[in-house]
Amino acid sequence: MSSRDSIGMNNLSDSGNDSGVEDGPSPVNLQADIQKIAKKSRHRSERPSVRLAATGSTGVDLGALAVLRKELPNVDGFVEAAPRSKPEQKRIARKRGYEEISEDVNKWQGIVHQQRNARQLSFPLDKNSISIIKQDNKFQPLMKTELEKEMYELLSGAEMIKPKEESAEDKAVREAMTLEEVLERNKESWRLRTLRNKLGKKAHIRNKTKSKKFHRILKKDRLRKEASNLEQLGKTEPGRALDKLQKLDEIRIEERMTLKHKKSKWAANLQLRAKTDKTALAALQENSRLHEEMVNKLKKTKEEEEAEDDSEEDDSDTDDSDEHDPEADTQNSTPAPGVQDKSYKKMKTFWGEYNRQKEEEMKDQLEEIRRQRKQPKKGQDEQTIEEANKMIKDKLKQSTKSNKGKKKTTCSNNPDVNDNVKINEYEFTFSSMDKPDNPMNESAVRLRTLDDMENFKPDKVAPVAASKTLKQVANNKKKSLPEVDASKIRVLETKVLESSVVKDFFNNDSDSDEAENDDPNADLFDEDDLALDEFNKAREAAEDAAQPKDVCHALPGWGSWTGPDIKMSAKIIERFTDKAPKKAPSKFSDKKNVIYNEEADLHQNIRNRMVSELPFPFLQVSDWEASIRGPIGRTFVPELVHRKLIEPALVTEIGAVIKPMDQTQLLKDNRAKQAVKDNKKTKNQKKEEMEKSGEKPVRPGNQLIEFGSSKKRKFSRKSVN
Amino acid sequence: RKKHCSQTEENMSSPMKNAKDDSAVRKYNAGDMKSIRKKHCSQTEENMSIPEVKAEDGSAVRTYDTGDMKFDRNNKWTKKKDQQHEGRNSGIDAFRKEKEEKFPGRKPVSTEALKKFYYGPGMKKGPKLTGIGMSRRNKFVQKEKLVEEGRREAARAEMLLTEQSGCVEAAEGFSTMNLTQRDIVESSDITSKCKSFELKLDHFGPYKLKYFRDGRHLALAGKMGHLSNFNWVTKKLTTEINIMQQLYDVCYLQDHRTLAVAQNDWVSIYDEAGVELHAVKDFYNINYLDYMPYHFLCVALSSCKGMLHYLDVTLGQEVTNITTGNGRASGMCHNPYNGVICTSHVNGTVNMWTPNCKAAVASMLAHKAPVSAMAYDPSGRYLVTSSCRRELHIWDARNLGTQLHSLKTQQPARQISVSQRGLIALGFDRDVQIYRGIHGSVVEPYMKQSLGNLLSQVQFCPYEDVLGVTTRDTFISLIIPGAGEANFDAAEVNPYSSKSNRREALIKGLLAKVPAELITLDPYTVAQVDIPTLEEKLEAQRKLVYVNVPRINPKPKYRMKGKSGSAQTAKRKMIRKEMHKTRYLDKVKKDRIAAGLEEKKPSSNDKYKEKIYENVLDRFK
């Protein structure tokens, strides 16, 4: 095969990959997850083995132990520890269990945190439908002008744009199954397993049945069925039916070649007796010898038969059969060769005759088959199955022979008939950006034979054309945009205006005394003013009324004399007076021109409507008051903010079943995170590569990657936040 | 003389600053910034050349500082950032950097705008919360962020207010006071010209006027019984009747079609066809009428009797009536900020009332002479009062008793009105003067207009640069540039509303009706904790934690036939004590359950009680 052939192979595989990539739910990081799990399980499985080695229990491979010793850091101090006590073992198991479970539970932590802190929860939860669109496959440049189209075609024809090569990682990701697929596969395999078991049991029971008649009927039935099947197959697919027939024959022959008769009950009994009874031993030996002879003879006949067969292909089957030496089997089964006896001779003669008969029969059959293959017969009507088989075989043979001429060039399923060198169909495409839906592509040539391949040469016209158009493009540069004339923009001049105060406007004909009023509050409250006096009195009275008063409980006549002119002692009054607490100064107490009635202002009516208990979970009045300070209504804040402010904390879909969260949500979350990581990684890698090679990111392919990454980032931000 | 109508009020106060801002916007758009920013970012070498850039194009650099971004004058940020970039040396960062340079993100919100939407201090960094985990704690942090976002977005939405209100600015050596209506009308467009007009109403005056909230409708009530309601912009008459009684005041109710009129004896309510819908006979001898649209309250004041009435128009019932005292009331208005009613009195005080209490919530000595007129500005932040001694005081309405301006006028002002943009109209006997600068430090005269007859009332029209003035025999509509708010909020009040809009607004208004009990000086009171009650409750709870059963000393009755032996008596005493104890503890238990200190045990009877469901469908749970 030439190197071209290999190129062709590559191309073929590439096209296969392309078709394989789809936009469905892709197994993005499942592979990574699987790897993690596998690592974990490996970790787990390793630990007990190490412990086993350490305990030095029996059955440990010493070689493995030696390796382990080497691996262990402290070689000299390595002493085989005594087996751990049961409570200790339990404790370790518990600890490990705890670790595993805590790890299992902790993986939910992120999503729980996310859900708890979310401003709004909506149920049912979103279906986990994350898909990553491969930019390379999806991207189709917007080509508005003819020039652009031409450019693009030329570039693609000249192999300027190369498809993104699929990395091993990407391939693995693509080929990895989604969780659903894995589950489905598991389910399917389980179903098949159970079915197999069921059928196996059924067959077992049936085989155990001791009735010979039943088995005979069964066999007959089976054979009849097979015959009918074969007949049908002969009608629809003659080639396959012929194959099957041949196989059946071979099976029959091989069955005779097996040691079934040797491993019979008789042989087993004889073998038991052979320890003591020499005749038994001899009989066995004779038996084996006869068998050997027979096998050799059969082999010879088979070789002859194959030599006679008209096939040019080299048969690997015969090699296989050579490798599989039946003598080895006989050696194993026969306990002691070289011992002879009379009974053995008898047995030998018996078996010899029996075998000879069988052999002759077989030979006849084989000969018949051979004859039939060469000279088909017609019009036989025998009722046995074998006869029917032959008939079908003949028919099939005839049909294949008639088709031989046509089928020779194309590949066929029949190995006997296929005598041509196999050549697969290769497709050579030199523009990898060609879409499969472009039927008019003339660059693709289909090669069928080796001759075609040798004659084929790719054309070298495209690159030249590409360079030509590039030059054209350079000449036809776009006209520059009309520039904005800066001088035409009018600039408003702002003029500072002098304040035009008519100073003595207020006091045209007023007294000069009153006119001079620098301090507005200076003469506002003259002390000799009647209005002011009145007001002050009222103010004091109001203040007094507002102050809570002392209550005196002292009664005259208690503990001292009382009468019209007798006053109570100040001591007693003081003693029996409940002093009212001093009231805090009111809102406007520092303003002398204001009487403020707090009781009237903060009336009980409004107090009833105020909050008199600090709402949960606040501990400070100011905090709660601050928490409700912002307006909500759409007349106070813009509509969008208003909607944000009033959006419900929980949204449910009417009529939808709300299922609990499952692992896929977790996967989604991880995927999102992983996507961010991957994105970063690939970017950094690419950058490094670029720096090493000293390239500049000018190729369109790179730009595509940038777009893709930006899209990814957007997506991840959305899901993570 | 130069007219410059395009600038905002802020522009006037600090023209220099705004000039900068303008240039900033221009530069931002023109893309000069980009190059400068690149220079900032790219390399340290180029950082050295920045001073030159500044020198060349100072304004551009300055704009950059005023903008949001991460640059300060000393370029500290850039240097740091550059080092980081070099350290990482990654293409992603470079890409990001480039992207940031190309698309610097949304335009930052100016701090000025943010100040306007300040809702108060937020929750502290680590709010003291109890009994919740981190995730629920995070929810509060999230909420806090959302509130901040709402504030920012609301501030950002300010730029959608495309209309700009202006003012007449005089050139040096000129005064706006010399401007006459004729000058203004001559230099304005046709639609504005239409807004200046005069109605001759010489038979039924003097007239009271009220503009409706949307600034389109006008009600006029002549003392001699002439009542008219019309769209003054289109001059389309809605109602015109003669009630054949003396009319003292008029006010619109929830929409422009119903009018409350203070008549000879009582208050009547008329619809647009002039049909008397309702006669409120309890409101007797009313001089002043006012309406609070958010509370659906019609307020009436009888100055001679000193009675203040509140009428809930949704129920048609009087909420309360209050005796004002303090002598004759010379005026009444409501504070749009909190719904408190103010009455001015001859003893120089301004009293404030809420329907909750018969006593005044606050009383302020505004003048030492009788108060002649007063008015709130439409935002409820300023109170303007005038006295018979020709004083004019401007007060901070939220900080009671704090005087902002004190001025002397030629005559005592009989009428005051404050426009949406803060122009003060003072009505004197035969002329009207307009002042400006209520928000600033200097109140200066702006315009004046002399009248042919004795003035009756002045009022600014909302959302229009118009001042309505009534005299004994005329109604004059004066154009006062810069009076009205240029941007109306259609959700609040829509001058161009259709019939369905009005209906919708009415229903929405009813749904959002503020109960009369909530009226108080500080409207944010409802959003606060009632601390005295809270303390009381806590104290009561504290008392319930440890209980001592008070001791008693029962004295059983003396019984005959040897039943009051010492042993028997002691036994009976014991029984009484036990009974007292159990009863007392039962009572305490009930209290504790009520206070939430203890949980109630379900009794066996509860099972058989019929359950009461909140929702009909709950029974299927």
Side-chain angles (χ1 to χ4, degrees):
Chain A
M1 286 275 166
S2 64
S3 60
R4 253 176 218 159
D5 190 7
S6 67
I7 292 164
M9 291 291 275
N10 283 342
N11 273 359
L12 196 73
S13 65
D14 279 357
S15 67
N17 290 348
D18 288 355
S19 63
V21 177
E22 281 170 7
D23 303 333
S26 125
V28 191
N29 285 323
L30 186 75
Q31 218 237 338
D33 291 353
I34 288 163
Q35 275 177 2
K36 259 190 215 165
I37 292 158
K39 226 184 260 174
K40 213 193 284 173
S41 65
R42 219 185 300 145
H43 200 55
R44 266 182 233 156
S45 62
E46 271 166 19
R47 255 184 265 162
S49 76
V50 168
R51 208 192 298 144
L52 258 178
T55 51
S57 60
T58 54
V60 177
D61 186 15
L62 284 174
L65 197 64
V67 171
L68 197 69
R69 267 173 188 275
K70 264 182 198 171
E71 278 173 4
L72 283 166
N74 187 9
V75 185
D76 300 330
F78 184 75
V79 184
E80 290 182 359
R84 287 204 168 92
S85 64
K86 213 168 185 185
E88 206 177 350
Q89 278 177 14
K90 271 187 179 172
R91 202 182 305 132
I92 288 161
R94 263 205 313 278
K95 198 180 171 187
R96 213 175 64 228
Y98 170 76
E99 276 167 7
E100 276 165 16
I101 285 171
S102 62
E103 199 177 313
D104 219 37
V105 172
N106 279 347
K107 70 185 173 188
W108 292 94
Q109 217 167 27
I111 203 157
V112 166
H113 179 79
Q114 199 178 313
Q115 292 284 94
R116 279 195 182 151
N117 284 298
R119 214 168 60 203
Q120 189 178 47
L121 292 177
S122 78
F123 293 102
L125 291 163
D126 291 344
K127 291 233 173 65
N128 190 14
S129 58
I130 297 168
S131 63
I132 288 192
I133 298 161
K134 278 269 155 78
Q135 205 62 41
D136 303 55
N137 300 325
K138 273 279 158 189
F139 179 75
Q140 220 175 352
L142 278 170
M143 291 177 291
K144 282 176 183 171
T145 60
E146 281 295 313
L147 181 70
E148 277 176 326
K149 273 179 196 169
E150 256 177 59
M151 271 285 293
Y152 185 75
E153 273 166 25
L154 282 168
L155 284 170
S156 64
E159 284 184 286
M160 291 292 276
I161 301 163
K162 281 177 185 168
K164 190 189 165 194
E165 276 181 22
E166 197 180 38
S167 67
E169 199 182 1
D170 286 347
K171 198 184 172 190
V173 166
R174 185 170 51 74
E175 282 167 359
M177 285 184 284
T178 59
L179 192 64
E180 286 89 52
E181 278 171 1
V182 169
L183 288 173
E184 205 173 321
R185 197 192 60 178
N186 286 352
K187 207 176 165 187
E188 183 66 17
S189 67
W190 175 82
R191 199 181 65 81
L192 285 173
R193 212 162 44 239
T194 47
L195 194 69
R196 201 179 59 203
N197 286 348
K198 202 175 149 192
L199 289 173
K201 265 181 195 169
K202 207 176 168 186
H204 182 69
I205 289 162
R206 199 184 53 200
N207 290 344
K208 275 224 163 177
T209 314
K210 283 181 178 168
S211 162
K212 279 183 180 170
K213 198 181 176 186
F214 171 75
H215 282 295
R216 215 175 293 139
I217 290 163
L218 212 66
K219 199 178 173 185
K220 237 180 191 174
D221 198 42
R222 200 185 68 223
L223 286 170
R224 203 181 295 134
K225 240 179 216 169
E226 262 174 22
S228 67
N229 278 350
L230 208 62
E231 208 166 355
Q232 267 189 345
L233 203 66
K235 277 172 191 167
T236 52
E237 288 170 283
R240 269 188 68 193
L242 205 63
D243 276 356
K244 209 169 183 182
L245 271 178
Q246 272 180 354
K247 257 177 200 167
L248 277 172
D249 282 343
E250 274 167 22
I251 286 164
R252 250 191 86 242
I253 293 158
E254 269 166 14
E255 196 187 294
R256 296 319 306 161
M257 286 158 70
T258 56
L259 300 168
K260 204 180 172 186
H261 50 286
K262 264 192 139 183
K263 285 172 187 170
S264 63
K265 218 173 187 177
W266 171 83
N269 286 336
L270 226 60
Q271 209 170 325
L272 274 175
R273 271 194 286 146
K275 284 174 187 172
T276 51
D277 195 355
K278 281 185 179 175
T279 53
L281 194 67
L284 271 175
Q285 278 173 343
E286 178 58 24
N287 191 18
S288 70
R289 200 187 57 78
L290 277 173
H291 175 253
E292 228 168 276
E293 265 177 38
M294 195 178 74
V295 164
N296 286 338
K297 270 181 189 171
L298 254 177
K299 221 195 272 174
K300 266 182 191 171
T301 53
K302 206 172 188 182
E303 276 169 3
E304 280 168 16
E305 182 198 336
E306 272 160 7
E308 279 173 356
D309 265 349
D310 51 346
S311 66
E312 287 172 23
E313 60 181 330
D314 19 310
D315 265 336
S316 58
D317 296 25
T318 48
D319 295 339
D320 288 350
S321 64
D322 283 341
E323 282 166 23
H324 179 73
D325 202 355
E327 273 180 72
D329 290 359
T330 50
Q331 270 178 5
N332 283 342
S333 60
T334 48
V339 189
Q340 294 199 346
D341 209 64
K342 271 184 183 176
S343 59
Y344 178 68
K345 274 173 190 168
K346 266 183 193 171
M347 211 269 306
K348 184 190 152 191
T349 49
F350 164 72
W351 279 109
E353 271 183 20
Y354 177 81
N355 285 336
R356 228 168 287 138
Q357 278 177 10
K358 286 269 167 184
E359 218 174 304
E360 277 169 8
E361 268 181 27
M362 271 194 289
K363 271 183 184 172
D364 289 348
Q365 278 180 6
L366 278 170
E367 272 174 6
E368 231 171 335
I369 290 163
R370 240 168 274 150
R371 228 186 303 136
Q372 278 160 5
R373 272 185 197 167
K374 282 171 185 173
Q375 298 171 351
K377 286 173 193 171
K378 279 183 183 177
Q380 284 190 7
D381 47 343
E382 287 194 30
Q383 292 303 311
T384 57
I385 298 159
E386 280 166 27
E387 286 298 316
N389 285 354
K390 276 174 198 167
M391 195 174 74
I392 294 158
K393 226 191 275 175
D394 292 345
K395 277 183 183 173
L396 291 175
K397 198 104 190 181
Q398 204 187 14
S399 66
T400 45
K401 265 193 175 171
S402 62
N403 286 337
K404 241 179 186 175
K406 290 174 193 172
K407 278 191 179 177
K408 262 195 173 174
T409 46
T410 58
C411 75
S412 84
N413 294 327
N414 195 349
D416 294 358
V417 182
N418 194 3
D419 54 355
N420 257 17
V421 180
K422 260 190 195 174
I423 295 174
N424 287 331
E425 291 178 359
Y426 300 136
E427 225 170 310
F428 281 76
T429 52
F430 281 79
S431 59
S432 47
M433 289 299 279
D434 279 336
K435 284 146 260 162
D437 56 343
N438 188 3
M440 298 304 284
N441 188 6
E442 289 177 2
S443 65
V445 181
R446 178 162 289 188
L447 305 179
R448 282 158 197 275
T449 57
L450 278 169
D451 294 15
D452 281 352
M453 273 188 27
E454 275 160 18
N455 291 334
F456 179 79
K457 274 174 192 172
D459 66 336
K460 292 165 186 172
V461 192
V464 180
S467 61
K468 215 175 182 182
T469 40
L470 272 171
K471 275 175 196 168
Q472 281 179 353
V473 171
N475 291 334
N476 298 340
K477 268 186 183 175
K478 273 185 185 174
K479 282 176 189 172
S480 58
L481 286 164
E483 282 182 13
V484 180
D485 191 359
S487 63
K488 280 177 186 174
I489 297 169
R490 254 176 65 191
V491 181
L492 284 172
E493 272 188 11
T494 50
K495 216 174 188 182
V496 183
L497 295 170
E498 288 281 311
S499 61
S500 53
V501 182
V502 182
K503 276 181 183 167
D504 49 3
F505 177 76
F506 294 110
N507 307 309
N508 271 351
D509 62 341
S510 66
D511 320 344
S512 58
D513 302 354
E514 286 178 342
E516 308 308 316
N517 257 342
D518 288 338
D519 182 15
N521 288 346
D523 77 329
L524 186 60
F525 307 112
D526 291 340
E527 286 191 5
D528 56 321
D529 209 300
L530 185 70
L532 188 66
D533 282 348
E534 265 181 37
F535 183 80
N536 280 340
K537 269 180 201 167
R539 188 166 161 269
E540 276 162 23
E543 272 179 7
D544 284 350
Q547 276 297 335
K549 288 182 181 60
D550 301 347
V551 184
C552 183
H553 298 291
L555 290 171
W558 287 89
S560 66
W561 289 102
T562 187
D565 290 333
I566 301 168
K567 277 183 184 175
M568 278 170 76
S569 77
K571 223 179 180 181
I572 289 173
I573 290 170
E574 201 182 356
R575 195 178 151 198
F576 288 99
T577 303
D578 285 353
K579 281 195 174 172
K582 273 272 173 189
K583 217 183 173 187
S586 70
K587 226 175 177 179
F588 305 106
S589 58
D590 58 327
K591 298 277 165 37
K592 299 296 172 199
N593 58 338
V594 174
I595 303 166
Y596 176 60
N597 187 349
E598 193 172 4
E599 213 170 293
D601 187 26
L602 293 171
H603 196 261
Q604 194 56 46
N605 285 357
I606 191 166
R607 285 213 161 139
N608 291 342
R609 307 217 177 201
M610 284 161 79
V611 171
S612 61
E613 276 170 16
L614 202 55
F616 179 80
F618 291 96
L619 286 175
Q620 276 192 345
V621 171
S622 60
D623 280 341
W624 178 74
E625 283 174 1
S627 77
I628 60 157
R629 80 188 192 286
I632 297 168
R634 51 161 64 84
T635 50
F636 292 90
V637 290
E639 181 69 25
L640 284 176
V641 181
H642 164 69
R643 280 189 202 166
K644 251 189 193 177
L645 280 163
I646 61 160
E647 77 184 0
L650 188 72
V651 178
T652 52
E653 200 179 307
I654 292 171
V657 179
I658 297 168
K659 284 177 185 165
M661 190 182 280
D662 58 358
Q663 298 251 356
T664 50
Q665 288 293 323
L666 211 61
L667 197 64
K668 182 180 166 187
D669 195 38
N670 286 339
R671 272 177 186 176
K673 279 174 192 165
Q674 196 64 35
V676 178
K677 274 186 201 167
D678 288 353
N679 188 24
K680 276 182 187 169
K681 212 190 282 171
T682 48
K683 258 192 177 177
N684 288 337
Q685 279 173 1
K686 258 170 201 149
K687 235 195 85 192
E688 279 167 21
E689 281 168 19
M690 226 174 273
E691 277 167 8
K692 272 179 194 170
S693 60
E695 266 183 65
K696 280 184 181 178
V698 284
R699 290 194 314 184
N702 280 321
Q703 279 176 16
L704 299 189
I705 293 157
E706 288 282 306
F707 275 114
S709 64
S710 72
K711 221 174 199 181
K712 258 188 189 174
R713 202 191 305 142
K714 192 181 169 192
F715 149 77
S716 63
R717 190 180 293 159
K718 195 181 167 192
S719 57
V720 170
N721 294 349
Chain B
R1 187 181 297 172
K2 180 171 179 181
K3 277 171 211 157
H4 187 67
C5 293
S6 64
Q7 273 196 325
T8 58
E9 189 191 56
E10 284 77 20
N11 284 2
M12 290 187 302
S13 59
S14 56
M16 278 304 291
K17 205 187 97 212
N18 279 286
K20 277 178 216 166
D21 282 349
D22 279 1
S23 70
V25 172
R26 270 207 314 282
K27 291 291 176 188
Y28 200 87
N29 292 339
D32 285 6
M33 287 310 301
K34 225 187 280 169
S35 61
I36 291 163
R37 207 172 297 165
K38 266 187 185 169
K39 275 176 190 170
H40 274 253
C41 273
S42 55
Q43 274 176 14
T44 41
E45 276 178 291
E46 276 181 320
N47 276 339
M48 303 302 286
S49 68
I50 284 167
E52 289 174 31
V53 176
K54 269 186 185 170
E56 281 167 25
D57 197 357
S59 66
V61 174
R62 226 179 295 136
T63 48
Y64 206 67
D65 292 333
T66 52
D68 68 324
M69 317 245 170
K70 308 116 193 180
F71 285 79
D72 57 16
R73 246 172 244 277
N74 306 322
N75 299 313
K76 278 176 192 167
W77 183 87
T78 25
K79 276 175 191 168
K80 248 188 196 174
K81 211 61 181 177
D82 277 337
Q83 280 166 8
Q84 277 178 9
H85 278 291
E86 281 166 15
R88 276 190 214 156
N89 197 19
S90 69
I92 302 164
D93 280 2
F95 176 70
R96 205 169 286 157
K97 203 171 103 186
E98 196 186 336
K99 210 172 177 185
E100 269 172 22
E101 279 164 14
K102 260 187 186 173
F103 312 104
R106 300 180 79 182
K107 193 167 180 280
V109 187
S110 70
T111 44
E112 290 288 312
L114 276 176
K115 263 183 200 168
K116 194 174 167 188
F117 292 91
Y118 181 63
Y119 305 134
M123 248 195 293
K124 281 167 203 159
K125 270 278 159 102
K128 281 190 179 175
L129 305 170
T130 177
I132 54 167
M134 273 315 286
S135 48
R136 280 192 66 187
R137 196 176 282 263
N138 282 347
K139 291 271 158 74
F140 284 103
V141 179
Q142 281 174 9
K143 176 91 187 298
E144 191 70 15
K145 274 181 190 164
L146 212 56
V147 168
E148 275 304 307
E149 192 192 334
R151 181 191 171 197
R152 208 169 47 248
E153 291 305 309
R156 198 190 292 281
E158 283 287 284
M159 71 177 166
L160 297 173
L161 305 178
T162 50
E163 299 291 328
Q164 283 183 319
S165 59
C167 239
V168 180
E169 293 289 344
E172 210 172 325
F174 292 95
S175 168
T176 48
M177 289 297 282
N178 300 330
L179 264 179
T180 60
Q181 277 297 304
R182 190 186 288 168
D183 295 331
I184 293 168
V185 168
E186 271 176 10
S187 60
S188 55
D189 58 325
I190 183 85
T191 44
S192 301
K193 271 177 191 166
C194 293
K195 286 170 189 168
S196 173
F197 63 95
E198 190 175 340
L199 300 175
K200 287 266 174 218
L201 308 157
D202 39 4
H203 293 297
F204 304 102
Y207 278 85
K208 289 276 184 182
L209 88 150
K210 272 285 157 62
Y211 281 106
F212 186 56
R213 280 175 293 133
D214 67 358
R216 307 278 285 183
H217 297 274
L218 175 68
L220 291 170
K223 183 131 190 191
M224 307 311 286
H226 175 212
L227 178 71
S228 77
N229 177 17
F230 63 103
N231 185 334
W232 71 268
V233 181
T234 58
K235 317 286 188 301
K236 195 183 166 194
L237 197 65
T238 316
T239 321
E240 186 164 46
I241 47 168
N242 197 325
I243 293 166
M244 309 296 282
Q245 279 188 24
Q246 281 204 349
L247 307 184
Y248 293 96
D249 203 356
V250 65
C251 84
Y252 282 103
L253 297 185
Q254 195 61 25
D255 65 355
H256 69 87
R257 293 177 305 168
T258 41
L259 284 167
V261 184
Q263 286 172 211
N264 207 5
D265 287 334
W266 53 70
V267 172
S268 291
I269 294 167
Y270 295 91
D271 73 350
E272 59 183 338
V275 178
E276 189 187 46
L277 298 175
H278 195 43
V280 193
K281 293 186 180 176
D282 290 342
F283 291 20
Y284 195 68
N285 272 356
I286 300 300
N287 303 77
Y288 299 99
L289 279 173
D290 206 345
Y291 182 72
M292 295 196 281
Y294 299 106
H295 303 86
F296 287 79
L297 285 177
C298 181
V299 190
L301 177 71
S302 158
S303 57
C304 55
K305 287 176 154 280
M307 284 292 280
L308 187 66
H309 301 271
Y310 282 90
L311 177 76
D312 189 334
V313 296
T314 56
L315 305 170
Q317 278 179 346
E318 191 179 9
V319 178
T320 183
N321 56 358
I322 295 160
T323 315
T324 56
N326 293 310
R328 194 178 177 282
S330 60
M332 183 194 75
C333 64
H334 81 268
N335 185 347
Y337 174 65
N338 50 20
V340 169
I341 294 290
C342 278
T343 54
S344 56
H345 294 269
V346 287
N347 63 358
T349 58
V350 170
N351 293 301
M352 295 168 189
W353 311 91
T354 65
N356 284 329
C357 193
K358 302 260 179 184
V361 165
S363 177
M364 187 176 78
L365 187 69
H367 301 274
K368 285 179 285 182
V371 182
S372 61
M374 66 164 182
Y376 273 103
D377 97 292
S379 66
R381 290 189 290 162
Y382 300 95
L383 174 66
V384 184
T385 59
S386 69
S387 77
C388 299
R389 280 195 199 166
R390 298 181 285 124
E391 294 157 331
L392 184 77
H393 290 166
I394 298 168
W395 307 87
D396 184 348
R398 290 178 292 187
N399 260 327
L400 285 182
T402 311
Q403 203 175 38
L404 300 172
H405 300 284
S406 175
L407 308 159
K408 278 264 178 185
T409 52
Q410 296 162 314
Q411 306 160 8
R414 293 177 60 204
Q415 289 285 330
I416 301 174
S417 177
V418 186
S419 85
Q420 284 170 324
R421 299 294 303 178
L423 300 185
I424 308 162
L426 300 179
F428 300 104
D429 280 346
R430 281 174 195 276
D431 67 335
V432 182
Q433 291 172 2
I434 293 107
Y435 298 84
R436 68 179 175 195
I438 193 173
H439 306 302
S441 55
V442 183
V443 174
E444 54 180 20
Y446 181 46
M447 279 183 181
K448 64 177 181 185
Q449 175 73 36
S450 57
L451 307 166
N453 214 329
L454 205 64
L455 177 121
S456 172
Q457 202 182 357
V458 293
Q459 200 197 345
F460 275 110
C461 180
Y463 306 108
E464 296 281 358
D465 289 348
V466 163
L467 176 73
V469 183
T470 50
T471 62
R472 193 172 267 289
D473 57 356
T474 49
F475 166 79
I476 309 163
S477 178
L478 301 171
I479 295 177
I480 311 293
E485 174 63 53
N487 296 291
F488 63 86
D489 183 355
E492 182 85 4
V493 58
N494 187 0
Y496 306 103
S497 60
S498 63
K499 199 174 182 181
S500 57
N501 286 157
R502 275 201 308 277
R503 282 174 175 167
E504 195 187 332
L506 183 67
I507 300 300
K508 277 186 175 167
L510 274 169
L511 291 171
K513 180 190 168 190
V514 183
E517 295 90 70
L518 292 187
I519 297 175
T520 172
L521 276 176
D522 181 10
Y524 291 101
T525 307
V526 264
Q528 289 165 4
V529 176
D530 183 10
I531 290 170
T533 318
L534 177 65
E535 277 174 354
E536 273 171 31
K537 280 185 177 176
L538 287 174
E539 187 58 36
Q541 272 193 7
R542 235 172 272 141
K543 275 179 184 168
L544 283 170
V545 175
Y546 301 108
V547 176
N548 282 331
V549 180
R551 279 183 190 174
I552 53 161
N553 191 18
K555 280 175 184 168
K557 265 185 187 173
Y558 178 77
R559 290 192 182 176
M560 306 273 269
K561 295 176 185 173
K563 281 178 184 172
S564 277
S566 60
Q568 282 287 331
T569 319
K571 204 175 167 186
R572 263 183 270 157
K573 268 189 180 177
M574 282 288 286
I575 290 165
R576 289 257 185 106
K577 276 182 181 173
E578 281 298 311
M579 256 170 72
H580 168 75
K581 195 183 170 184
T582 48
R583 277 179 190 168
Y584 188 82
L585 288 176
D586 278 356
K587 194 176 160 271
V588 168
K589 197 172 186 182
K590 269 185 190 171
D591 290 346
R592 282 167 72 94
I593 287 164
L597 289 169
E598 215 171 287
E599 275 186 26
K600 196 186 176 186
K601 280 181 188 170
S603 69
S604 54
N605 285 343
D606 288 355
K607 271 193 284 187
Y608 305 106
K609 275 182 189 169
E610 201 180 323
K611 277 182 186 172
I612 298 159
Y613 298 103
E614 263 183 41
N615 193 337
V616 188
L617 296 173
D618 284 350
R619 67 187 68 239
F620 300 112
K621 272 182 182 172

